[in-house]
Amino acid sequence: MASAQDVHVRICGQEIIKYDLEIKALIQDIRECPGPQSVLMDFNSTVKDKFNQLRLRIQNMEQMAKEQDRETDKQAILSETESHRRQMLSNQTAWRKANLSCKQSIDNLEKDELLYGGDSTVRQRKPTKESMVQTSSDITESLMSISRMMAQSVSQSEESIGTLATSSRTLLETDEEFRAMTGTIHLGRKLISKYNRRELTDKLLIFLAVALFMATVLYILKKRLFPFI
């Protein structure tokens, strides 16, 4: 059975993957964003929040690695943490490139609209942009579906942690009861030993009393029956 610490590391890794997929989907949305600038700003605000969450999870995993008892486990988790950090840096680079590409496309589209107004050439571009956005949305939906599956896996792992915690409490309670029972048995053994010693003492006293009584009776009989002796 996996320890609670291992489960926490696995959950953290799953959350990192989930944020990574969400960021990739948002970068794709930015890359294909037809504008306007306000939509791009909304995308970027969401990406910043996702990066902050991702960075926090990576830091948490790094801290968990430092808390490992075995050196092999520590090094394995640190290696995984470094891999996630490199992936995050790669996503940041892709995010900057997507922003540059999107801003350039928006600037070009605005220039065309200023130059040609309602010209058919500009209008012909819109269906292409819309189809690209639809394709991007389909990809995003697929990635979000994967994210939901990861979230379900995280939920199941959290339930496993709850079960482990309950089992740990039960084991602790059983151990406490066992210790209390052991103390009671030990006390009972002491009392039995004490009573056994008391019984031996009582038997010895009774024997001495009987012996003294018999000696007294014999002495009296001797004096009465054989006074001349």
Side-chain angles (χ1 to χ4, degrees):
M1 181 183 292
S3 66
Q5 194 175 38
D6 293 336
V7 175
H8 280 299
V9 172
R10 186 160 59 250
I11 289 175
C12 187
Q14 290 170 349
E15 289 180 342
I16 289 173
I17 293 174
K18 183 188 74 169
Y19 285 122
D20 178 71
L21 291 173
E22 291 176 350
I23 288 171
K24 282 181 168 61
L26 288 166
I27 291 174
Q28 182 66 21
D29 289 339
I30 291 173
R31 190 177 289 116
E32 303 298 341
C33 176
Q37 289 285 350
S38 58
V39 175
L40 179 60
M41 290 175 63
D42 290 339
F43 277 135
N44 283 326
S45 176
T46 304
V47 172
K48 287 180 183 178
D49 291 339
K50 297 295 181 183
F51 268 121
N52 288 334
Q53 293 294 330
L54 177 61
R55 189 176 296 105
L56 180 62
R57 294 300 184 278
I58 291 175
Q59 290 173 353
N60 290 342
M61 178 173 282
E62 188 174 25
Q63 182 61 35
M64 290 179 192
K66 295 177 181 178
E67 295 172 356
Q68 293 296 312
D69 296 328
R70 293 187 299 181
E71 184 65 23
T72 53
D73 294 341
K74 176 181 178 181
Q75 293 302 324
I77 298 173
L78 285 175
S79 177
E80 183 180 354
T81 303
E82 185 60 28
S83 175
H84 289 312
R85 186 173 282 113
R86 287 196 300 268
Q87 185 60 49
M88 182 182 67
L89 294 175
S90 176
N91 286 337
Q92 288 175 335
T93 301
W95 179 34
R96 286 193 292 269
K97 290 180 179 179
N99 265 282
L100 291 173
S101 176
C102 181
K103 288 177 180 178
Q104 185 175 2
S105 297
I106 293 174
D107 290 342
N108 291 337
L109 184 60
E110 290 176 350
K111 289 177 182 178
D112 289 343
E113 288 177 347
L114 288 173
L115 290 173
Y116 302 106
D119 188 84
S120 60
T121 304
V122 177
R123 288 196 299 268
Q124 286 174 359
R125 292 179 182 176
K126 291 185 179 179
T128 303
K129 285 286 185 180
E130 290 172 357
S131 64
M132 292 175 66
V133 171
Q134 182 61 42
T135 302
S136 174
S137 298
D138 293 339
I139 295 173
T140 301
E141 182 61 30
S142 298
L143 291 173
M144 292 303 294
S145 177
I146 295 173
S147 297
R148 286 192 291 270
M149 293 174 62
M150 295 296 295
Q152 291 176 358
S153 178
V154 170
S155 178
Q156 291 174 356
S157 298
E158 289 175 347
E159 292 176 1
S160 298
I161 290 177
T163 303
L164 284 171
T166 303
S167 300
S168 298
R169 285 195 297 270
T170 303
L171 287 173
L172 287 174
E173 291 172 359
T174 304
D175 182 65
E176 289 175 358
E177 292 177 0
F178 177 75
R179 290 177 183 274
M181 188 178 298
T182 302
T184 303
I185 293 172
H186 185 64
L187 179 60
R189 187 181 294 111
K190 283 185 176 180
L191 290 174
I192 291 172
S193 299
K194 181 179 179 181
Y195 290 145
N196 287 335
R197 289 195 299 271
R198 179 66 61 82
E199 183 181 3
L200 179 62
T201 303
D202 291 343
K203 286 181 179 179
L204 182 60
L205 290 175
I206 291 171
F207 175 76
L208 292 174
V210 171
L212 179 62
F213 175 75
M214 294 299 296
T216 303
V217 170
L218 290 173
Y219 177 77
I220 293 171
L221 288 174
K222 177 186 174 185
K223 288 295 184 181
R224 290 188 178 184
L225 296 177
F226 308 103
F228 52 86
I229 298 178

